[in-house]
Amino acid sequence: MEFEKETGLSMWDTLPDDIILHVFSFLSPFSVVRMSETCRRMNEIAFDEQLWRQHFYQYYRISRSIGIAPGKTSWLQEFKRLYYHTPAVKGTIIKQHTDQVLHVSFSHNGKMFATCSKDGFIKVWNSKYPVKLKYKYDMRTLTWKYTQFSQFNRTDTLLLVSGVHFGSHSTSGEIAVFSLKGDFDLQARVINKPYDVFGTWYNDNYLLSGNLHLTGPLQSYSSIILNKGFQDIASEHESVVMGLYRFENQNASSIRTLLVAKCLTDSESELDPNCDTPENSIPEKCDTPANNPAICCPVLAEAKTSEKSAENASKKVQQVTVYENGALREKLIEVDAEVKNVHEINSTITYSQAYRDAEEDIASTSVEMETKSDTESSNGASGSFADLKMKTMKSTVSMKSMEGVCTECTQTDCEDHCNRGMYTSGSVFGYPLQSNILFSRDGSHVIEGKNPFPEEDNRQSNRKQQMDCSEKPVGSEDISDAPSTSKNSSQLPCQFPDKYLIFTRGSETFTPHQIGIKRMKSLEKVIGDKVQVMPNVEENLHGMDHQGYDTVDHVIDLHGHIIGLSLSPDDRYLYVNCRQWPKNYSIENPFYPPPIAQEIDIHVIDLMKMKRVGTMHQAHKAYTSNDECFFIFLDVSNEYVASGAEDKHGYIWDRHYGICLNKFPHNDVVNSVAFNPSDPETLVTVSDDQSIILWRSRNRDKQIRTQELRGMNSMCANS
């Protein structure tokens, strides 16, 4: 007190920055933020990057072997992204379906989403707050039992809807296509068998369906058919349907769940045909944060030890009906004991080194493109001085300092703050978590504004159009971006790349346990100023121009019941929901598949290397028996992956760090989830409890509440 009276300074003012940082390291992240609001000096110290690096790893219990996400340069901003900009808050609740809601999908521009339900309706909603119903159609008028799947085409002008026909044991389904311009008019109807093929868009105007043909006992073949999305034709010579492939089925299995992905390799020789070898799989039990949380948080070691002892003390067995020695019998199978784990929310995705290397390559390519574009912009004297300053600061950030390499002890994970100069005055990241300042989508600069959905600038839009130009030339419409017929082929603005046809199938049993991948040669042909996808009726052989069956280029066996597929936005990775079979289980009858685990594993498959590069074990739950048809749909954004589950919750994980960030409770099974492509801070979940729930980030929720408050104040002022 005497010192403060004599000098006019408090004891806190005389403490060195390193000591205050050390004190802050024992506080919670939210206490550090509150301390930052006390004075200017505390504000500057509280947003030290190394301090937030430590809080980031401790709070989210992430292994320190995992570095900062590629393209990110601030640990503070990463903490804010995971906590403040990730869907977490229950927003709009919609209950306008009268039965179980089975599927949800977003349009590519994020302005609409569609829901399918067992009440037989397909409903399309405007996603802008407040959510309103835009279209609906009762498919029961077309002899449908219910709708089960929907997908928007690339330009969001057509909607593919898949459903099931009436009949207690019917396996037949149908695909309908609706126009999203005008009055939601029905454009086409296509038979789809079995119904869990679902169907998918080949390009903007053409879709793929399936059909099943029996050839003998337990033997059949599946045909993949190309269909025009609308059946109005210019002449009688124009084809609207064409057979593409015929795949042989074994043991009462069939092709299911079609997907189409862009082929990211230039030649087939780059692909690895041995895609299901032991060296390509991820170890099921390894010392990772998913299996051993004590790695990230040593205080959990004691709790983990007690859990293991409890598990060893009482093994759990499950009674199942199996087919053995030519007869059905009851059998007890030993399964993992369900020990209560308070930290189960942190089930993490374990990635291989190949995935981490690919992440770095993608990030490096993106940085090079941004740098080149920024250079062109600066040469054109565009952009403000503040923008150029921010870009310069970003380009000069040392990644080694971000990874925490101590300059004194040269250790990567130094926790003693012994490195000097780690505090930098005037940090551009010195904003509290409660700040109203928004960050651009690419994280390159800070922007201010009230609009929570800023439009992309012209440069990004042009780049996106160039990347997606292969999706535009379809049908027989006039096109401006189609390949030119001039002799100088090197100046063609667009190409027609190959695509991958991805599907699930069975082999040892009728349930889907394999991922099949077929490389599709481009079907588009330039004829004058038109692009033709199908040959004329006179030349259309419907795939009968070759004998026998088509071969599957790559097969990945997951040894479990596959219940959901989703592609990453760049079509590089395939995420798969799968319920595993018991190890070394012998299948004697294909009609009696192995019992399946109650836990759902998520597998990550690299479509460039054609192998598994990531696995998450026992992430979420499912209880439906192995002989029933069921689906738990998942969705993938640039930074997150989300999935439904039968444990009455939806889940969201960060793709890079692999950690589970939030759980979304419902009153029944969560069948499907979907991110808003234009705003990944919004997630929609649908459930058997007949509800549709929009989950928003804390940031989005605050903006909406502020908007509502302003509207109420305006109404009061006018009254």
Side-chain angles (χ1 to χ4, degrees):
M1 295 294 293
E2 294 180 358
F3 175 80
E4 293 181 0
K5 291 181 180 179
E6 294 177 359
T7 62
L9 300 174
S10 67
M11 294 298 294
W12 285 100
D13 294 329
T14 61
L15 288 177
D17 292 349
D18 291 347
I19 299 231
I20 297 178
L21 280 172
H22 186 66
V23 173
F24 281 3
S25 67
F26 293 97
L27 300 179
S28 70
F30 311 102
S31 296
V32 172
V33 173
R34 286 192 288 269
M35 285 293 298
S36 71
E37 298 172 348
T38 57
C39 66
R40 181 175 299 178
R41 182 165 182 255
M42 292 300 168
N43 183 275
E44 293 176 345
I45 297 175
F47 295 107
D48 175 78
E49 279 297 311
Q50 294 303 317
L51 173 66
W52 282 97
R53 177 180 182 273
Q54 177 181 345
H55 282 310
F56 183 83
Y57 281 119
Q58 289 183 350
Y59 184 83
Y60 290 107
R61 295 199 293 273
I62 299 174
S63 172
R64 293 180 182 270
S65 62
I66 302 175
I68 196 169
K72 309 294 185 181
T73 56
S74 169
W75 293 101
L76 171 60
Q77 295 309 315
E78 280 295 87
F79 193 102
K80 288 177 61 177
R81 177 177 68 85
L82 297 189
Y83 181 80
Y84 198 54
H85 297 278
T86 301
V89 180
K90 181 183 290 188
T92 306
I93 303 176
I94 304 172
K95 288 195 173 183
Q96 295 190 29
H97 281 289
T98 59
D99 208 331
Q100 301 171 359
V101 189
L102 302 180
H103 188 260
V104 58
S105 63
F106 261 97
S107 61
H108 294 82
N109 59 19
K111 296 180 180 180
M112 297 175 288
F113 66 91
T115 54
C116 299
S117 171
K118 281 194 172 181
D119 62 10
F121 276 89
I122 173 69
K123 295 187 176 183
V124 181
W125 313 80
N126 283 319
S127 61
K128 184 179 179 180
Y129 182 83
V131 177
K132 295 181 180 179
L133 181 64
K134 185 174 184 179
Y135 302 116
K136 68 176 181 179
Y137 199 100
D138 187 359
M139 302 303 294
R140 291 173 298 184
T141 60
L142 303 179
T143 69
W144 284 28
K145 187 176 182 180
Y146 58 85
T147 57
Q148 61 171 353
F149 177 82
S150 64
Q151 187 181 55
F152 292 81
N153 69 343
R154 179 68 63 179
T155 56
D156 298 326
T157 56
L158 297 173
L159 178 67
L160 178 153
V161 182
S162 176
V164 181
H165 280 154
F166 273 109
S168 57
H169 300 287
S170 174
T171 61
S172 177
E174 190 175 10
I175 297 173
V177 179
F178 291 91
S179 172
L180 294 171
K181 293 183 177 180
D183 298 327
F184 203 55
D185 295 326
L186 181 63
Q187 301 294 313
R189 296 175 63 184
V190 176
I191 293 296
N192 193 40
K193 186 176 181 180
Y195 59 79
D196 52 357
V197 170
F198 295 120
T200 187
W201 289 105
Y202 170 77
N203 60 20
D204 208 35
N205 289 336
Y206 288 84
L207 60 99
L208 299 179
S209 63
N211 202 355
L212 183 63
H213 309 269
L214 299 178
T215 58
L218 301 181
Q219 301 297 315
S220 64
Y221 74 89
S222 294
S223 59
I224 306 301
I225 304 168
L226 181 68
N227 309 270
K228 192 172 183 180
F230 46 91
Q231 295 181 350
D232 54 330
I233 56 177
S235 69
E236 67 275 12
H237 301 287
E238 185 179 346
S239 297
V240 296
V241 62
M242 180 178 69
L244 289 182
Y245 302 109
R246 293 182 298 169
F247 297 110
E248 185 179 16
N249 302 318
Q250 298 178 348
N251 293 326
S253 65
S254 64
I255 299 295
R256 310 183 184 195
T257 315
L258 296 180
L259 290 177
V260 171
K262 292 179 292 186
C263 182
L264 301 178
T265 56
D266 295 332
S267 63
E268 298 183 16
S269 60
E270 297 181 20
L271 304 179
D272 181 12
N274 301 318
C275 53
D276 196 30
T277 56
E279 61 269 22
N280 289 334
S281 60
I282 306 297
E284 294 192 3
K285 295 295 182 182
C286 53
D287 203 19
T288 65
N291 301 316
N292 185 11
I295 294 177
C296 305
C297 190
V299 298
L300 301 178
E302 183 177 353
K304 192 69 177 179
T305 303
S306 62
E307 290 175 3
K308 289 184 178 180
S309 62
E311 181 178 351
N312 295 331
S314 59
K315 290 289 185 179
K316 180 183 176 182
V317 293
Q318 179 181 354
Q319 183 175 354
V320 296
T321 302
V322 298
Y323 186 89
E324 289 184 347
N325 300 323
L328 291 174
R329 62 185 61 189
E330 299 294 327
K331 185 176 181 180
L332 296 177
I333 294 181
E334 186 176 290
V335 296
D336 294 336
E338 287 191 10
V339 179
K340 181 64 177 177
N341 180 12
V342 296
H343 307 291
E344 64 180 357
I345 191 173
N346 281 293
S347 297
T348 58
I349 305 175
T350 303
Y351 289 112
S352 67
Q353 187 58 42
Y355 179 88
R356 299 299 183 191
D357 294 341
E359 271 191 322
E360 295 295 336
D361 294 341
I362 294 173
S364 300
T365 303
S366 299
V367 170
E368 291 176 0
M369 292 178 62
E370 289 291 339
T371 303
K372 180 179 179 180
S373 181
D374 292 343
T375 302
E376 294 174 355
S377 299
S378 61
N379 291 337
S382 62
S384 64
F385 174 77
D387 291 337
L388 295 177
K389 181 179 179 181
M390 291 294 294
K391 293 171 182 177
T392 304
M393 294 181 69
K394 178 183 176 183
S395 62
T396 56
V397 171
S398 171
M399 293 307 296
K400 288 187 176 181
S401 64
M402 286 299 159
E403 293 297 330
V405 178
C406 179
T407 58
E408 290 291 315
C409 62
T410 67
Q411 295 180 5
T412 303
D413 295 323
C414 175
E415 298 294 337
D416 297 327
H417 298 290
C418 59
N419 53 317
R420 298 177 182 175
M422 66 181 185
Y423 164 68
T424 304
S425 180
S427 171
V428 296
F429 305 105
Y431 297 104
L433 296 180
Q434 294 86 351
S435 173
N436 291 327
I437 294 180
L438 305 175
F439 289 82
S440 62
R441 288 180 185 157
D442 60 359
S444 61
H445 58 280
V446 183
I447 58 176
E448 293 185 7
K450 299 178 181 178
N451 181 11
F453 310 100
E455 296 294 330
E456 299 288 349
D457 59 10
N458 294 332
R459 175 169 47 84
Q460 291 177 338
S461 299
N462 292 337
R463 187 185 303 126
K464 184 178 186 301
Q465 291 175 4
Q466 292 174 3
M467 294 175 63
D468 293 339
C469 62
S470 60
E471 300 293 337
K472 286 186 177 182
V474 294
S476 57
E477 301 176 351
D478 292 334
I479 55 171
S480 58
D481 293 334
S484 172
T485 56
S486 62
K487 297 181 180 180
N488 189 2
S489 60
S490 62
Q491 296 181 357
L492 295 179
C494 286
Q495 300 292 332
F496 295 118
D498 293 349
K499 298 182 180 182
Y500 285 134
L501 175 65
I502 303 170
F503 51 85
T504 63
R505 71 174 194 175
S507 175
E508 302 177 52
T509 180
F510 72 92
T511 58
H513 58 91
Q514 293 180 339
I515 301 292
I517 302 174
K518 175 70 175 179
R519 183 162 182 155
M520 305 172 63
K521 294 295 184 181
S522 175
L523 300 175
E524 291 87 350
K525 295 182 179 179
V526 179
I527 301 178
D529 58 347
K530 311 283 186 180
V531 173
Q532 184 176 346
V533 178
M534 291 185 187
N536 292 329
V537 173
E538 297 80 5
E539 302 173 354
N540 191 344
L541 300 178
H542 297 281
M544 304 298 294
D545 54 336
H546 61 280
Q547 298 180 352
Y549 299 110
D550 294 284
T551 59
V552 182
D553 295 334
H554 302 276
V555 176
I556 301 176
D557 200 323
L558 298 182
H559 304 286
H561 194 139
I562 299 172
I563 59 175
L565 301 175
S566 182
L567 288 164
S568 61
D570 59 358
D571 286 0
R572 171 70 185 267
Y573 296 102
L574 177 68
Y575 285 72
V576 185
N577 268 341
C578 182
R579 294 174 63 182
Q580 296 302 121
W581 292 341
K583 294 181 180 178
N584 303 320
Y585 186 90
S586 177
I587 301 175
E588 297 189 9
N589 190 319
F591 286 108
Y592 297 97
I596 51 180
Q598 290 186 348
E599 294 81 12
I600 303 174
D601 294 348
I602 294 181
H603 299 276
V604 186
I605 298 173
D606 188 342
L607 295 179
M608 285 190 69
K609 304 298 182 182
M610 292 300 167
K611 62 182 181 181
R612 280 176 285 180
V613 294
T615 302
M616 183 192 316
H617 294 284
Q618 302 180 1
H620 40 312
K621 301 280 187 178
Y623 307 107
T624 303
S625 60
N626 58 344
D627 58 345
E628 295 185 29
C629 183
F630 66 100
F631 305 95
I632 298 294
F633 294 96
L634 67 165
D635 194 24
V636 185
S637 69
N638 288 324
E639 295 179 327
Y640 309 108
V641 54
S643 174
E646 292 192 41
D647 57 12
K648 302 180 182 180
H649 287 86
Y651 293 80
I652 182 172
W653 296 267
D654 182 84
R655 285 182 59 185
H656 174 74
Y657 303 108
I659 58 171
C660 182
L661 297 173
N662 291 302
K663 299 168 67 174
F664 309 108
H666 275 262
N667 296 323
D668 211 329
V669 175
V670 179
N671 295 303
S672 179
V673 299
F675 289 102
N676 187 328
S678 64
D679 178 31
E681 296 186 32
T682 300
L683 177 76
V684 177
T685 59
V686 296
S687 168
D688 281 355
D689 62 14
Q690 305 178 15
S691 68
I692 306 166
I693 301 181
L694 277 74
W695 303 85
R696 300 184 178 93
S697 66
R698 294 174 175 88
N699 173 52
R700 287 286 178 264
D701 184 65
K702 181 179 179 180
Q703 292 172 346
I704 289 176
R705 291 180 183 275
T706 302
Q707 178 183 347
E708 289 179 338
L709 183 60
R710 289 175 179 173
M712 294 175 60
N713 293 337
S714 176
M715 291 176 61
C716 293
N718 294 333
S719 61

